[in-house]
Amino acid sequence: MIENRPIVTLVTHIVLLLGVAAVAFPIWLAFVASTYPVDGLVSGVLPLWPGDQFWINYGSALTGGVEAAGSPPVLLMMMNSLVMALAIAVGKIAISIISAYAIVYFSFPFRATAFWIIFMTLMLPVEVRILPTYEVVANLGMLDSYAGLAIPLIASATATFLFRQFFLTIPDELLEAARVDGAGALRFFFDVVLPLSRTNVAALFVILFIYGWNQYLWPLLVTTDESYYTIVMGIQRMVAVPDSEPLWHLIMATAILAMIPPVFVVIAMQRLFVKGLVETEK
């Protein structure tokens, strides 16, 4: 029996509200700063309520960019980041689920060795192997392209490991029943394994989308054409403006706009995301 303790409930809610305020307050300040002209932000006093320049600042950021920083329009950079994040998330999930399926359900020589070789690549993130990866991409002519942005980041040992562990929990009776019904490997994968993996796919998609959206170092190396700049690169270029003061109202507007796609993905897939992380019985 659960006891109802009003004082404990009140304290719990207060702590939660304080936590929400601590997280939301900096975001609110960024939004407020994005609604004022640049002159209103260099005085040293930041107001707490939005100004009257919302449409002007956001319209300028979305369509005009920041010429002083060499930054293209935010809308273009967000499209580049969206293409990159979707390609990375979908590519990682597709490759990982297929490789995990092969490791679990197919018998071939050195199957365990192949899995552990894949698993050991966790010790080689892109920052460690960035020079040889860049050389391969350059030799293949994929600089300044969406393929160069996404393909080198598609392989994922973490997703392969998680899918493998989930596939091992699927009862063998399902495989035997599928064989009795005459289902081959592909039909068993699409009709049984893939539907059961729906929550895991959703959870990984959210994590991998945010991972791809927040990439900075790799896009910085492989892109010199402004038409392929990502939103994170654009924010950095806006801040590091040589020989002039940063246009903080446009920087804050860009930062707020950059949060919208990841937040939308998390909200849209929140139920499946949480279920995929905490569900233990399949």
Side-chain angles (χ1 to χ4, degrees):
M1 182 176 180
I2 300 176
E3 297 182 5
N4 185 13
R5 299 180 179 180
I7 297 179
V8 175
T9 302
L10 177 63
V11 172
T12 302
H13 283 77
I14 291 175
V15 172
L16 291 175
L17 290 174
L18 290 176
V20 171
V23 174
F25 186 65
I27 300 175
W28 173 254
L29 289 181
F31 172 74
V32 169
S34 68
T35 61
Y36 280 86
V38 65
D39 297 337
L41 302 178
V42 297
S43 61
V45 179
L46 182 64
L48 294 179
W49 298 107
D52 57 354
Q53 301 292 311
F54 175 85
W55 296 111
I56 297 175
N57 292 346
Y58 280 83
S60 177
L62 279 171
T63 60
V66 182
E67 295 181 0
S71 173
V74 171
L75 186 60
L76 175 61
M77 294 189 293
M78 291 182 67
M79 287 300 300
N80 293 337
S81 292
L82 182 63
V83 171
M84 180 181 177
L86 286 175
I88 290 174
V90 174
K92 279 179 176 287
I93 291 173
I95 292 177
S96 299
I97 198 170
I98 292 173
S99 59
Y101 181 73
I103 289 172
V104 173
Y105 289 103
F106 287 82
S107 297
F108 54 88
F110 306 107
R111 181 175 63 172
T113 303
F115 168 73
W116 286 111
I117 290 175
I118 295 173
F119 188 74
M120 285 189 295
T121 59
L122 286 172
M123 296 183 291
L124 297 172
V126 65
E127 292 80 9
V128 175
R129 50 181 171 83
I130 199 162
L131 289 179
T133 305
Y134 177 83
E135 183 178 3
V136 171
V137 170
N139 292 337
L140 293 176
M142 293 195 302
L143 297 178
D144 290 322
S145 67
Y146 291 125
L149 285 171
I151 290 177
L153 303 179
I154 281 180
S156 176
T158 303
T160 303
F161 174 75
L162 293 177
F163 279 124
R164 173 186 176 269
Q165 296 305 111
F166 168 68
F167 292 164
L168 291 175
T169 65
I170 296 177
D172 294 335
E173 290 77 8
L174 289 178
L175 178 59
E176 296 299 329
R179 286 176 176 172
V180 170
D181 290 340
L186 287 178
R187 186 172 180 183
F188 177 70
F189 175 76
F190 285 108
D191 291 351
V192 178
V193 174
L194 199 56
L196 290 175
S197 307
R198 186 167 60 102
T199 55
N200 300 77
V201 169
L204 281 172
F205 179 84
V206 173
I207 296 171
L208 296 176
F209 181 88
I210 296 174
Y211 164 82
W213 183 269
N214 290 334
Q215 282 296 313
Y216 168 69
L217 180 60
W218 180 249
L220 181 66
L221 289 178
V222 299
T223 57
T224 56
D225 187 349
E226 291 184 1
S227 60
Y228 289 100
Y229 283 0
T230 61
I231 189 67
V232 179
M233 291 177 59
I235 294 174
Q236 192 278 334
R237 292 180 68 88
M238 291 178 186
V239 174
V241 180
D243 303 326
S244 63
E245 289 292 331
L247 301 178
W248 289 109
H249 61 309
L250 296 183
I251 294 173
M252 294 297 104
T254 303
I256 294 297
L257 290 170
M259 291 191 301
I260 294 176
V263 170
F264 175 79
V265 169
V266 172
I267 293 175
M269 305 187 71
Q270 181 180 13
R271 181 174 298 178
L272 290 175
F273 174 70
V274 174
K275 190 176 180 181
L277 291 180
V278 303
E279 190 177 46
T280 57
E281 295 182 1
K282 306 295 180 182

